Amino acid sequence: MSEEISLPKNANKEEIYQALLPQVKALLFGEEDLIANMANMAAVLKEAFGFFWVGFYIIKKGELVLGPFQGPVACTRIQKGKGVCGKAWETGETQLVPDVNAFPGHIACSASSQSEIVVPVSKGKEIIAVLDIDSDQLDAFDAVDQKFLEEMVGYL
Ligand code: SME
């Protein structure tokens, strides 16, 4: 396995995701450690798209606890139902937030964060974590991100 990601040049977002999926699958193949795989997935997404913050919160003893991430320091614990991450956990559904300042209860780990997507990570029927991505631009995420990120976290 090569530990390098190759990114298509002059590609749009969908093409980049399409190029990433098999590479991420190969990168995670044969490795069972969840933390190692989350760390590599966060690194790939940061490298490919330059997002402001990419990382995981893992459910531990009834709350979300900060896991592997790329970007500035972040809040360490989030309660169920709180913020965008807690909402994704509570509802089991991806949260697409075009403007974090308009999201009631948004937890601002950084004032630079403007929009956000949070994707639940499941093992079987149980949610075990969430993938959280923040952008310093408004309205940075759409249904394309949702579709590919939901597929990608399925590799964990
Ligand atoms: N904004 C998130 C908190 C986590 S940070 O963005 C890294 C939320 O509202 O759940």
Side-chain angles (χ1 to χ4, degrees):
M1 178 200 72
S2 153
E3 269 116 10
E4 236 174 71
I5 293 292
S6 88
L7 296 168
K9 302 231 181 315
N10 304 317
N12 65 29
K13 182 161 79 174
E14 183 151 12
E15 290 164 341
I16 296 174
Y17 276 119
Q18 257 153 8
L20 286 182
L21 282 181
Q23 296 187 72
V24 171
K25 206 174 206 173
L27 187 64
L28 270 50
F29 181 78
E31 177 52 67
E32 285 180 2
D33 189 274
L34 184 65
I35 300 296
N37 287 335
M38 286 176 162
N40 264 340
M41 193 176 286
V44 166
L45 290 169
K46 176 80 171 167
E47 184 182 338
F49 298 106
F51 295 130
F52 176 71
W53 197 92
V54 186
F56 291 88
Y57 282 89
I58 302 167
I59 297 169
K60 291 182 183 172
K61 296 186 184 158
E63 58 186 351
L64 289 168
V65 182
L66 184 63
F69 71 95
Q70 298 261 325
V73 293
C75 5
T76 51
R77 290 173 192 267
I78 298 173
Q79 312 307 313
K80 192 171 197 174
K82 301 290 179 199
V84 189
C85 292
K87 180 98 184 286
W89 175 19
E90 187 176 60
T91 61
E93 282 169 11
T94 295
Q95 303 294 308
L96 262 174
V97 182
D99 178 357
V100 295
N101 296 306
F103 185 96
H106 167 256
I107 301 164
C109 293
S110 163
S112 301
S113 176
Q114 300 295 323
S115 59
E116 182 163 2
I117 184 169
V118 181
V119 181
V121 179
S122 304
K123 275 261 181 270
K125 285 193 174 148
E126 194 191 348
I127 298 177
I128 56 160
V130 299
L131 166 64
D132 179 16
I133 306 182
D134 287 38
S135 171
D136 55 7
Q137 309 291 313
L138 283 168
D139 207 10
F141 306 101
D142 58 22
V144 171
D145 299 281
Q146 178 170 354
K147 175 181 148 200
F148 285 104
L149 292 170
E150 285 177 353
E151 183 158 354
M152 201 181 280
V153 298
Y155 299 162
L156 286 166

PDB file of all heavy atoms in Angstrom, residues 53 57 74-75 78 82-86 105-109 113 116 118 132 134, ligand 1:
ATOM      1  N   TRP A  53     -11.007  22.699   9.546  1.00  0.00           N
ATOM      2  CA  TRP A  53     -10.917  21.711  10.640  1.00  0.00           C
ATOM      3  C   TRP A  53     -11.607  20.427  10.185  1.00  0.00           C
ATOM      4  O   TRP A  53     -12.719  20.488   9.646  1.00  0.00           O
ATOM      5  CB  TRP A  53     -11.602  22.246  11.908  1.00  0.00           C
ATOM      6  CG  TRP A  53     -11.245  21.523  13.178  1.00  0.00           C
ATOM      7  CD1 TRP A  53     -10.244  21.846  14.042  1.00  0.00           C
ATOM      8  CD2 TRP A  53     -11.901  20.360  13.744  1.00  0.00           C
ATOM      9  NE1 TRP A  53     -10.228  20.956  15.103  1.00  0.00           N
ATOM     10  CE2 TRP A  53     -11.236  20.044  14.936  1.00  0.00           C
ATOM     11  CE3 TRP A  53     -12.969  19.563  13.341  1.00  0.00           C
ATOM     12  CZ2 TRP A  53     -11.596  18.977  15.748  1.00  0.00           C
ATOM     13  CZ3 TRP A  53     -13.335  18.489  14.149  1.00  0.00           C
ATOM     14  CH2 TRP A  53     -12.656  18.204  15.335  1.00  0.00           C
ATOM     15  N   TYR A  57     -15.357  13.045  16.625  1.00  0.00           N
ATOM     16  CA  TYR A  57     -15.723  12.955  18.041  1.00  0.00           C
ATOM     17  C   TYR A  57     -16.264  11.544  18.246  1.00  0.00           C
ATOM     18  O   TYR A  57     -17.107  11.080  17.478  1.00  0.00           O
ATOM     19  CB  TYR A  57     -16.784  14.000  18.406  1.00  0.00           C
ATOM     20  CG  TYR A  57     -16.207  15.383  18.590  1.00  0.00           C
ATOM     21  CD1 TYR A  57     -16.088  16.257  17.514  1.00  0.00           C
ATOM     22  CD2 TYR A  57     -15.767  15.810  19.843  1.00  0.00           C
ATOM     23  CE1 TYR A  57     -15.541  17.534  17.683  1.00  0.00           C
ATOM     24  CE2 TYR A  57     -15.226  17.091  20.020  1.00  0.00           C
ATOM     25  CZ  TYR A  57     -15.118  17.941  18.937  1.00  0.00           C
ATOM     26  OH  TYR A  57     -14.580  19.193  19.104  1.00  0.00           O
ATOM     27  N   ALA A  74      -9.509  22.121  19.632  1.00  0.00           N
ATOM     28  CA  ALA A  74     -10.977  22.141  19.631  1.00  0.00           C
ATOM     29  C   ALA A  74     -11.518  21.721  20.991  1.00  0.00           C
ATOM     30  O   ALA A  74     -10.785  21.183  21.826  1.00  0.00           O
ATOM     31  CB  ALA A  74     -11.495  21.199  18.548  1.00  0.00           C
ATOM     32  N   CYS A  75     -12.827  21.965  21.186  1.00  0.00           N
ATOM     33  CA  CYS A  75     -13.476  21.544  22.438  1.00  0.00           C
ATOM     34  C   CYS A  75     -13.378  20.026  22.559  1.00  0.00           C
ATOM     35  O   CYS A  75     -13.445  19.317  21.563  1.00  0.00           O
ATOM     36  CB  CYS A  75     -14.935  21.964  22.499  1.00  0.00           C
ATOM     37  SG  CYS A  75     -15.586  22.729  21.042  1.00  0.00           S
ATOM     38  N   ILE A  78     -18.650  16.976  24.057  1.00  0.00           N
ATOM     39  CA  ILE A  78     -19.932  17.521  23.602  1.00  0.00           C
ATOM     40  C   ILE A  78     -21.040  16.569  24.052  1.00  0.00           C
ATOM     41  O   ILE A  78     -20.925  15.348  23.873  1.00  0.00           O
ATOM     42  CB  ILE A  78     -19.944  17.680  22.060  1.00  0.00           C
ATOM     43  CG1 ILE A  78     -18.849  18.671  21.605  1.00  0.00           C
ATOM     44  CG2 ILE A  78     -21.309  18.147  21.574  1.00  0.00           C
ATOM     45  CD1 ILE A  78     -18.667  18.772  20.098  1.00  0.00           C
ATOM     46  N   LYS A  82     -26.372  18.476  21.838  1.00  0.00           N
ATOM     47  CA  LYS A  82     -25.776  19.828  21.890  1.00  0.00           C
ATOM     48  C   LYS A  82     -24.945  20.095  20.634  1.00  0.00           C
ATOM     49  O   LYS A  82     -24.214  19.214  20.164  1.00  0.00           O
ATOM     50  CB  LYS A  82     -24.864  19.981  23.116  1.00  0.00           C
ATOM     51  CG  LYS A  82     -25.570  19.767  24.431  1.00  0.00           C
ATOM     52  CD  LYS A  82     -26.544  20.900  24.730  1.00  0.00           C
ATOM     53  CE  LYS A  82     -27.268  20.672  26.043  1.00  0.00           C
ATOM     54  NZ  LYS A  82     -28.488  21.451  26.175  1.00  0.00           N
ATOM     55  N   GLY A  83     -25.048  21.316  20.145  1.00  0.00           N
ATOM     56  CA  GLY A  83     -24.250  21.707  18.977  1.00  0.00           C
ATOM     57  C   GLY A  83     -24.612  20.881  17.753  1.00  0.00           C
ATOM     58  O   GLY A  83     -25.537  20.074  17.754  1.00  0.00           O
ATOM     59  N   VAL A  84     -23.857  21.104  16.702  1.00  0.00           N
ATOM     60  CA  VAL A  84     -24.120  20.389  15.451  1.00  0.00           C
ATOM     61  C   VAL A  84     -23.741  18.912  15.609  1.00  0.00           C
ATOM     62  O   VAL A  84     -24.445  18.014  15.139  1.00  0.00           O
ATOM     63  CB  VAL A  84     -23.320  21.034  14.286  1.00  0.00           C
ATOM     64  CG1 VAL A  84     -23.753  20.429  12.969  1.00  0.00           C
ATOM     65  CG2 VAL A  84     -23.520  22.544  14.251  1.00  0.00           C
ATOM     66  N   CYS A  85     -22.649  18.674  16.310  1.00  0.00           N
ATOM     67  CA  CYS A  85     -22.191  17.283  16.499  1.00  0.00           C
ATOM     68  C   CYS A  85     -23.189  16.480  17.326  1.00  0.00           C
ATOM     69  O   CYS A  85     -23.546  15.352  16.974  1.00  0.00           O
ATOM     70  CB  CYS A  85     -20.820  17.272  17.184  1.00  0.00           C
ATOM     71  SG  CYS A  85     -19.513  17.923  16.151  1.00  0.00           S
ATOM     72  N   GLY A  86     -23.640  17.088  18.439  1.00  0.00           N
ATOM     73  CA  GLY A  86     -24.590  16.389  19.308  1.00  0.00           C
ATOM     74  C   GLY A  86     -25.916  16.140  18.608  1.00  0.00           C
ATOM     75  O   GLY A  86     -26.603  15.145  18.877  1.00  0.00           O
ATOM     76  N   GLY A 105     -27.641  26.862  19.067  1.00  0.00           N
ATOM     77  CA  GLY A 105     -26.860  25.970  19.923  1.00  0.00           C
ATOM     78  C   GLY A 105     -25.523  25.569  19.351  1.00  0.00           C
ATOM     79  O   GLY A 105     -24.817  24.752  19.947  1.00  0.00           O
ATOM     80  N   HIS A 106     -25.163  26.117  18.200  1.00  0.00           N
ATOM     81  CA  HIS A 106     -23.853  25.798  17.620  1.00  0.00           C
ATOM     82  C   HIS A 106     -22.752  26.040  18.648  1.00  0.00           C
ATOM     83  O   HIS A 106     -22.752  27.050  19.356  1.00  0.00           O
ATOM     84  CB  HIS A 106     -23.610  26.659  16.371  1.00  0.00           C
ATOM     85  CG  HIS A 106     -22.192  26.619  15.893  1.00  0.00           C
ATOM     86  ND1 HIS A 106     -21.294  27.645  16.085  1.00  0.00           N
ATOM     87  CD2 HIS A 106     -21.522  25.639  15.245  1.00  0.00           C
ATOM     88  CE1 HIS A 106     -20.125  27.299  15.566  1.00  0.00           C
ATOM     89  NE2 HIS A 106     -20.240  26.094  15.049  1.00  0.00           N
ATOM     90  N   ILE A 107     -21.811  25.110  18.733  1.00  0.00           N
ATOM     91  CA  ILE A 107     -20.695  25.269  19.670  1.00  0.00           C
ATOM     92  C   ILE A 107     -19.512  25.824  18.891  1.00  0.00           C
ATOM     93  O   ILE A 107     -18.981  25.153  17.997  1.00  0.00           O
ATOM     94  CB  ILE A 107     -20.329  23.912  20.318  1.00  0.00           C
ATOM     95  CG1 ILE A 107     -21.540  23.346  21.063  1.00  0.00           C
ATOM     96  CG2 ILE A 107     -19.136  24.066  21.238  1.00  0.00           C
ATOM     97  CD1 ILE A 107     -21.430  21.868  21.403  1.00  0.00           C
ATOM     98  N   ALA A 108     -19.127  27.042  19.212  1.00  0.00           N
ATOM     99  CA  ALA A 108     -18.058  27.694  18.452  1.00  0.00           C
ATOM    100  C   ALA A 108     -16.705  27.381  19.072  1.00  0.00           C
ATOM    101  O   ALA A 108     -16.278  28.022  20.028  1.00  0.00           O
ATOM    102  CB  ALA A 108     -18.292  29.194  18.418  1.00  0.00           C
ATOM    103  N   CYS A 109     -16.037  26.356  18.541  1.00  0.00           N
ATOM    104  CA  CYS A 109     -14.673  26.061  19.016  1.00  0.00           C
ATOM    105  C   CYS A 109     -13.728  27.114  18.471  1.00  0.00           C
ATOM    106  O   CYS A 109     -12.703  27.401  19.067  1.00  0.00           O
ATOM    107  CB  CYS A 109     -14.231  24.679  18.551  1.00  0.00           C
ATOM    108  SG  CYS A 109     -15.165  23.342  19.306  1.00  0.00           S
ATOM    109  N   SER A 113     -14.741  29.500  12.127  1.00  0.00           N
ATOM    110  CA  SER A 113     -15.627  28.529  11.485  1.00  0.00           C
ATOM    111  C   SER A 113     -16.921  29.208  11.029  1.00  0.00           C
ATOM    112  O   SER A 113     -17.574  29.906  11.791  1.00  0.00           O
ATOM    113  CB  SER A 113     -15.928  27.410  12.492  1.00  0.00           C
ATOM    114  OG  SER A 113     -16.845  26.527  11.929  1.00  0.00           O
ATOM    115  N   GLU A 116     -20.450  24.155   8.303  1.00  0.00           N
ATOM    116  CA  GLU A 116     -20.049  22.895   8.928  1.00  0.00           C
ATOM    117  C   GLU A 116     -20.885  21.740   8.385  1.00  0.00           C
ATOM    118  O   GLU A 116     -22.050  21.928   8.027  1.00  0.00           O
ATOM    119  CB  GLU A 116     -20.281  23.054  10.442  1.00  0.00           C
ATOM    120  CG  GLU A 116     -19.880  21.889  11.308  1.00  0.00           C
ATOM    121  CD  GLU A 116     -19.760  22.296  12.785  1.00  0.00           C
ATOM    122  OE1 GLU A 116     -20.031  23.469  13.130  1.00  0.00           O
ATOM    123  OE2 GLU A 116     -19.409  21.444  13.599  1.00  0.00           O
ATOM    124  N   VAL A 118     -21.612  17.615   9.630  1.00  0.00           N
ATOM    125  CA  VAL A 118     -21.324  16.551  10.602  1.00  0.00           C
ATOM    126  C   VAL A 118     -22.032  15.274  10.163  1.00  0.00           C
ATOM    127  O   VAL A 118     -23.246  15.277   9.939  1.00  0.00           O
ATOM    128  CB  VAL A 118     -21.752  16.944  12.033  1.00  0.00           C
ATOM    129  CG1 VAL A 118     -21.402  15.820  13.008  1.00  0.00           C
ATOM    130  CG2 VAL A 118     -21.075  18.242  12.472  1.00  0.00           C
ATOM    131  N   ASP A 132     -16.709  15.505  11.835  1.00  0.00           N
ATOM    132  CA  ASP A 132     -17.068  16.928  11.835  1.00  0.00           C
ATOM    133  C   ASP A 132     -16.091  17.667  10.924  1.00  0.00           C
ATOM    134  O   ASP A 132     -14.874  17.523  11.065  1.00  0.00           O
ATOM    135  CB  ASP A 132     -16.964  17.455  13.277  1.00  0.00           C
ATOM    136  CG  ASP A 132     -17.286  18.940  13.383  1.00  0.00           C
ATOM    137  OD1 ASP A 132     -17.869  19.505  12.440  1.00  0.00           O
ATOM    138  OD2 ASP A 132     -16.938  19.530  14.426  1.00  0.00           O
ATOM    139  N   ASP A 134     -15.306  21.598   9.424  1.00  0.00           N
ATOM    140  CA  ASP A 134     -15.616  23.028   9.494  1.00  0.00           C
ATOM    141  C   ASP A 134     -14.904  23.749   8.358  1.00  0.00           C
ATOM    142  O   ASP A 134     -13.753  23.437   8.044  1.00  0.00           O
ATOM    143  CB  ASP A 134     -15.070  23.642  10.794  1.00  0.00           C
ATOM    144  CG  ASP A 134     -15.862  23.223  12.009  1.00  0.00           C
ATOM    145  OD1 ASP A 134     -16.283  22.066  12.057  1.00  0.00           O
ATOM    146  OD2 ASP A 134     -16.028  24.065  12.904  1.00  0.00           O
TER     147      ASP A 134
HETATM  148  N1  SME B   1     -19.090  23.246  16.017  1.00  0.00           N
HETATM  149  C1  SME B   1     -19.251  21.944  16.619  1.00  0.00           C
HETATM  150  C2  SME B   1     -18.265  21.725  17.727  1.00  0.00           C
HETATM  151  C3  SME B   1     -17.006  21.064  17.294  1.00  0.00           C
HETATM  152  S1  SME B   1     -15.933  22.073  16.515  1.00  0.00           S
HETATM  153  O1  SME B   1     -16.551  22.670  15.324  1.00  0.00           O
HETATM  154  C4  SME B   1     -14.514  21.340  16.120  1.00  0.00           C
HETATM  155  C5  SME B   1     -20.671  21.777  17.123  1.00  0.00           C
HETATM  156  O2  SME B   1     -21.448  22.731  17.132  1.00  0.00           O
HETATM  157  O3  SME B   1     -21.010  20.669  17.497  1.00  0.00           O
END
